[in-house]
Protein backbone atom coordinates (compact mmCIF):
# COMPACT_ATOMS: atom_id res chain seq x y z
CA UNK A 1 0.00 0.00 0.00
CA UNK A 2 2.80 2.40 0.88
CA UNK A 3 4.63 1.88 -2.41
CA UNK A 4 1.38 2.29 -4.38
CA UNK A 5 0.63 5.60 -2.66
CA UNK A 6 4.12 6.85 -3.40
CA UNK A 7 3.73 6.00 -7.05
CA UNK A 8 0.47 7.94 -7.32
CA UNK A 9 1.51 11.01 -5.31
CA UNK A 10 3.03 14.01 -7.14
CA UNK A 11 5.08 16.76 -5.51
CA UNK A 12 3.24 19.23 -7.80
CA UNK A 13 0.24 21.13 -6.38
CA UNK A 14 -2.00 20.11 -9.23
CA UNK A 15 -1.77 16.47 -8.27
CA UNK A 16 -0.82 13.69 -10.65
CA UNK A 17 2.22 13.47 -12.89
CA UNK A 18 2.83 15.96 -15.81
CA UNK A 19 1.35 14.81 -19.09
CA UNK A 20 3.50 13.93 -22.05
CA UNK A 21 3.78 16.58 -24.77
CA UNK A 22 4.29 14.99 -28.16
CA UNK A 23 6.13 16.37 -31.14
CA UNK A 24 8.10 19.11 -29.40
CA UNK A 25 11.17 17.17 -28.41
CA UNK A 26 12.83 14.03 -29.77
CA UNK A 27 11.37 13.97 -33.28
CA UNK A 28 7.75 13.39 -32.28
CA UNK A 29 8.31 10.87 -29.42
CA UNK A 30 6.28 11.41 -26.29
CA UNK A 31 8.43 13.12 -23.70
CA UNK A 32 7.47 14.26 -20.22
CA UNK A 33 8.18 17.96 -19.67
CA UNK A 34 6.87 20.53 -17.25
CA UNK A 35 3.87 22.71 -18.33
CA UNK A 36 6.08 25.83 -18.38
CA UNK A 37 8.58 24.24 -20.76
CA UNK A 38 5.75 22.92 -22.92
CA UNK A 39 4.28 26.40 -23.21
CA UNK A 40 7.64 27.83 -24.26
CA UNK A 41 7.99 25.15 -26.87
CA UNK A 42 4.59 25.92 -28.37
CA UNK A 43 5.39 29.62 -28.44
CA UNK A 44 8.69 28.99 -30.23
CA UNK A 45 6.99 26.81 -32.79
CA UNK A 46 4.44 29.50 -33.53
CA UNK A 47 7.10 32.19 -33.87
CA UNK A 48 9.20 30.27 -36.37
CA UNK A 49 6.31 28.78 -38.32
CA UNK A 50 5.90 30.37 -41.77
CA UNK A 51 2.16 29.98 -41.49
CA UNK A 52 2.15 31.99 -38.30
CA UNK A 53 4.16 34.83 -39.76
CA UNK A 54 2.05 37.80 -40.74
CA UNK A 55 3.75 40.24 -43.07
CA UNK A 56 3.29 43.82 -42.00
CA UNK A 57 1.69 45.90 -44.73
CA UNK A 58 4.21 48.11 -46.44
CA UNK A 59 3.24 51.53 -47.66
CA UNK A 60 5.25 54.00 -49.69
CA UNK A 61 4.82 57.49 -48.30
CA UNK A 62 3.88 60.00 -50.96
CA UNK A 63 6.33 62.83 -51.43
CA UNK A 64 5.19 65.87 -49.49
CA UNK A 65 4.25 68.78 -51.76
CA UNK A 66 6.67 71.66 -51.76
CA UNK A 67 5.06 74.80 -50.40
CA UNK A 68 4.85 77.75 -52.77
CA UNK A 69 6.69 80.23 -50.58
CA UNK A 70 7.67 83.69 -51.79
CA UNK A 71 11.22 82.37 -52.12
CA UNK A 72 10.08 79.59 -54.45
CA UNK A 73 7.92 82.03 -56.41
CA UNK A 74 10.90 84.31 -56.99
CA UNK A 75 13.12 81.37 -57.88
CA UNK A 76 10.73 80.45 -60.69
CA UNK A 77 10.44 84.04 -61.93
CA UNK A 78 14.20 84.59 -61.79
CA UNK A 79 14.84 81.42 -63.80
CA UNK A 80 12.55 82.63 -66.61
CA UNK A 81 13.68 86.26 -66.82
CA UNK A 82 14.13 87.43 -70.38
CA UNK A 83 13.93 90.87 -71.99
CA UNK A 84 12.08 89.18 -74.85
CA UNK A 85 8.57 88.98 -73.38
CA UNK A 86 7.23 86.13 -75.57
CA UNK A 87 10.25 84.02 -74.66
CA UNK A 88 9.79 84.70 -70.98
CA UNK A 89 6.14 83.72 -71.22
CA UNK A 90 7.06 80.44 -72.95
CA UNK A 91 9.68 79.70 -70.29
CA UNK A 92 7.29 80.47 -67.44
CA UNK A 93 4.60 78.25 -68.98
CA UNK A 94 7.08 75.38 -69.11
CA UNK A 95 7.96 75.90 -65.44
CA UNK A 96 4.33 76.03 -64.32
CA UNK A 97 3.45 72.96 -66.40
CA UNK A 98 5.54 70.90 -63.97
CA UNK A 99 3.40 72.03 -61.00
CA UNK A 100 0.11 70.71 -59.69
CA UNK A 101 -3.04 72.84 -60.11
CA UNK A 102 -2.88 73.70 -56.40
CA UNK A 103 0.72 74.85 -56.75
CA UNK A 104 -0.17 76.99 -59.75
CA UNK A 105 -2.93 78.62 -57.69
CA UNK A 106 -0.41 79.27 -54.93
CA UNK A 107 2.01 80.78 -57.46
CA UNK A 108 -0.75 83.14 -58.58
CA UNK A 109 -1.44 84.06 -54.96
CA UNK A 110 2.25 84.95 -54.51
CA UNK A 111 2.05 87.10 -57.63
CA UNK A 112 -0.97 88.90 -56.17
CA UNK A 113 0.98 89.62 -52.97
CA UNK A 114 3.80 91.24 -54.92
CA UNK A 115 1.26 93.28 -56.87
CA UNK A 116 -0.18 94.54 -53.59
CA UNK A 117 3.26 95.32 -52.17
CA UNK A 118 4.12 97.38 -55.24
CA UNK A 119 0.85 99.31 -55.29
CA UNK A 120 2.56 102.45 -54.03
CA UNK A 121 2.29 106.12 -54.96
CA UNK A 122 6.04 106.57 -54.99
CA UNK A 123 6.48 103.75 -57.48
CA UNK A 124 3.59 105.06 -59.57
CA UNK A 125 5.31 108.44 -59.80
CA UNK A 126 8.50 106.74 -60.97
CA UNK A 127 6.58 104.89 -63.68
CA UNK A 128 4.89 108.17 -64.63
CA UNK A 129 8.25 109.83 -65.29
CA UNK A 130 9.83 106.85 -67.09
CA UNK A 131 6.79 106.19 -69.29
CA UNK A 132 5.81 109.81 -69.92
CA UNK A 133 2.55 109.24 -68.06
CA UNK A 134 0.90 106.21 -66.46
CA UNK A 135 -2.83 105.49 -66.19
CA UNK A 136 -4.31 103.00 -63.74
CA UNK A 137 -3.92 100.19 -66.28
CA UNK A 138 -0.51 101.43 -67.33
CA UNK A 139 0.73 101.32 -63.74
CA UNK A 140 -0.71 97.81 -63.30
CA UNK A 141 1.10 96.53 -66.41
CA UNK A 142 4.26 98.31 -65.27
CA UNK A 143 4.17 96.33 -62.02
CA UNK A 144 3.79 93.13 -64.05
CA UNK A 145 6.97 94.11 -65.86
CA UNK A 146 8.81 94.92 -62.63
CA UNK A 147 7.89 91.55 -61.07
CA UNK A 148 8.94 89.77 -64.26
CA UNK A 149 12.36 91.43 -63.93
CA UNK A 150 13.02 89.21 -60.91
CA UNK A 151 13.43 89.49 -57.17
CA UNK A 152 16.56 91.66 -57.00
CA UNK A 153 15.29 94.40 -59.34
CA UNK A 154 11.84 94.32 -57.78
CA UNK A 155 13.11 94.85 -54.25
CA UNK A 156 15.64 97.45 -55.41
CA UNK A 157 13.04 99.66 -57.10
CA UNK A 158 10.45 99.06 -54.40
CA UNK A 159 12.90 100.40 -51.81
CA UNK A 160 13.99 103.32 -54.01
CA UNK A 161 11.64 104.12 -56.91
CA UNK A 162 14.19 106.54 -58.40
CA UNK A 163 16.48 103.49 -58.91
CA UNK A 164 14.18 102.58 -61.80
CA UNK A 165 16.44 104.86 -63.84
CA UNK A 166 19.19 102.22 -63.64
CA UNK A 167 17.18 99.30 -65.08
CA UNK A 168 14.45 100.81 -67.27
CA UNK A 169 14.68 100.31 -71.04
CA UNK A 170 14.54 103.42 -73.21
CA UNK A 171 11.22 102.51 -74.85
CA UNK A 172 8.18 103.26 -72.71
CA UNK A 173 6.25 100.34 -74.25
CA UNK A 174 8.84 97.89 -72.93
CA UNK A 175 7.94 98.93 -69.37
CA UNK A 176 4.53 97.23 -69.64
CA UNK A 177 4.02 93.46 -69.54
CA UNK A 178 0.27 92.87 -69.51
CA UNK A 179 0.41 89.19 -70.54
CA UNK A 180 2.66 88.14 -67.66
CA UNK A 181 -0.32 88.03 -65.30
CA UNK A 182 -2.21 85.59 -67.55
CA UNK A 183 0.36 82.81 -67.63
CA UNK A 184 -0.69 81.13 -64.38
CA UNK A 185 -4.34 80.89 -65.43
CA UNK A 186 -3.35 79.48 -68.82
CA UNK A 187 -1.09 76.87 -67.21
CA UNK A 188 -3.85 75.96 -64.73
CA UNK A 189 -6.36 75.60 -67.57
CA UNK A 190 -4.00 73.28 -69.45
CA UNK A 191 -3.68 71.13 -66.31
CA UNK A 192 -7.35 70.95 -65.37
CA UNK A 193 -9.15 71.26 -68.68
CA UNK A 194 -11.22 74.08 -67.20
CA UNK A 195 -11.37 77.70 -68.40
CA UNK A 196 -8.61 79.86 -66.98
CA UNK A 197 -11.10 82.27 -65.42
CA UNK A 198 -12.39 79.38 -63.29
CA UNK A 199 -9.10 79.24 -61.39
CA UNK A 200 -9.38 80.52 -57.81
CA UNK A 201 -7.80 83.94 -58.03
CA UNK A 202 -6.35 86.02 -55.23
CA UNK A 203 -7.04 89.70 -55.78
CA UNK A 204 -4.22 92.10 -54.88
CA UNK A 205 -6.78 94.64 -53.69
CA UNK A 206 -7.02 98.33 -54.45
CA UNK A 207 -5.34 99.80 -51.37
CA UNK A 208 -2.42 102.04 -52.34
CA UNK A 209 0.30 103.06 -49.94
CA UNK A 210 2.75 105.94 -49.73
CA UNK A 211 2.59 109.63 -50.48
CA UNK A 212 0.81 110.68 -53.66
CA UNK A 213 3.10 112.22 -56.27
CA UNK A 214 2.54 115.56 -57.95
CA UNK A 215 2.52 115.82 -61.73
CA UNK A 216 4.21 119.22 -61.54
CA UNK A 217 7.53 118.94 -63.44
CA UNK A 218 9.52 120.72 -60.72
CA UNK A 219 8.10 118.39 -58.08
CA UNK A 220 8.87 115.34 -60.20
CA UNK A 221 12.43 116.52 -60.84
CA UNK A 222 12.92 116.95 -57.10
CA UNK A 223 11.40 113.64 -56.09
CA UNK A 224 12.96 111.56 -58.90
CA UNK A 225 16.22 113.28 -59.88
CA UNK A 226 17.78 110.28 -61.68
CA UNK A 227 14.63 109.46 -63.59
CA UNK A 228 14.05 113.10 -64.45
CA UNK A 229 17.54 113.48 -65.89
CA UNK A 230 17.00 110.44 -68.07
CA UNK A 231 13.35 110.66 -69.06
CA UNK A 232 12.07 114.09 -68.01
CA UNK A 233 12.18 117.38 -69.85
CA UNK A 234 15.57 117.72 -71.51
CA UNK A 235 16.38 114.07 -70.63
Amino acid sequence: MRSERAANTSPERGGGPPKAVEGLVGGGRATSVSPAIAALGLLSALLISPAASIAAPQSVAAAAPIAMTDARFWSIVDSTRNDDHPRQIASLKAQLAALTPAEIEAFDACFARQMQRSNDWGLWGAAYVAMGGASDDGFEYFRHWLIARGHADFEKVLADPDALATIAPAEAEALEFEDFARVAAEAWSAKTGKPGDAMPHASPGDAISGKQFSEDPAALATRYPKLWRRFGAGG
Side-chain angles (χ1 to χ4, degrees), residues 18-22 30-33:
K19 294 183 179 180
V21 178
E22 297 183 1
T31 306
S32 292
V33 295

Side-chain angles (χ1 to χ4, degrees), residues 76-92 145 147-150 174 177 180:
I76 292 172
V77 173
D78 287 344
S79 70
T80 66
R81 175 177 163 175
N82 197 311
D83 290 336
D84 185 311
H85 292 180
R87 288 187 178 182
Q88 182 165 11
I89 286 176
S91 181
L92 182 57
W145 170 83
I147 292 170
R149 289 280 304 182
F177 199 170
F180 188 81

Side-chain angles (χ1 to χ4, degrees), residues 130-179:
M131 299 168 67
S135 64
D136 291 4
D137 288 344
F139 180 47
E140 178 182 344
Y141 305 153
F142 164 78
R143 284 144 64 210
H144 295 177
W145 170 83
L146 186 58
I147 292 170
R149 289 280 304 182
H151 193 200
D153 281 353
F154 178 83
E155 296 294 346
K156 174 182 178 180
V157 176
L158 200 61
D160 177 17
D162 198 30
L164 176 63
T166 65
I167 67 167
E171 303 79 14
E173 294 79 8
L175 284 162
E176 295 185 4
F177 199 170
E178 180 181 0
D179 292 341

Side-chain angles (χ1 to χ4, degrees), residues 64-79:
I66 303 174
M68 183 58 67
T69 60
D70 284 347
R72 189 181 179 202
F73 167 83
W74 284 118
S75 177
I76 292 172
V77 173
D78 287 344
S79 70

Side-chain angles (χ1 to χ4, degrees), residues 11 24 39 52 56 199 203 205 215 220 229:
L24 296 180
M199 181 182 78
S203 172
E215 297 180 22
L220 291 172
R229 283 195 297 271

Side-chain angles (χ1 to χ4, degrees), residues 26-71:
R29 290 175 299 171
T31 306
S32 292
V33 295
S34 71
I37 295 176
L40 287 173
L42 284 171
L43 180 59
S44 299
L46 287 172
L47 289 175
I48 64 175
S49 171
S53 300
I54 301 175
Q58 296 183 2
S59 60
V60 179
I66 303 174
M68 183 58 67
T69 60
D70 284 347

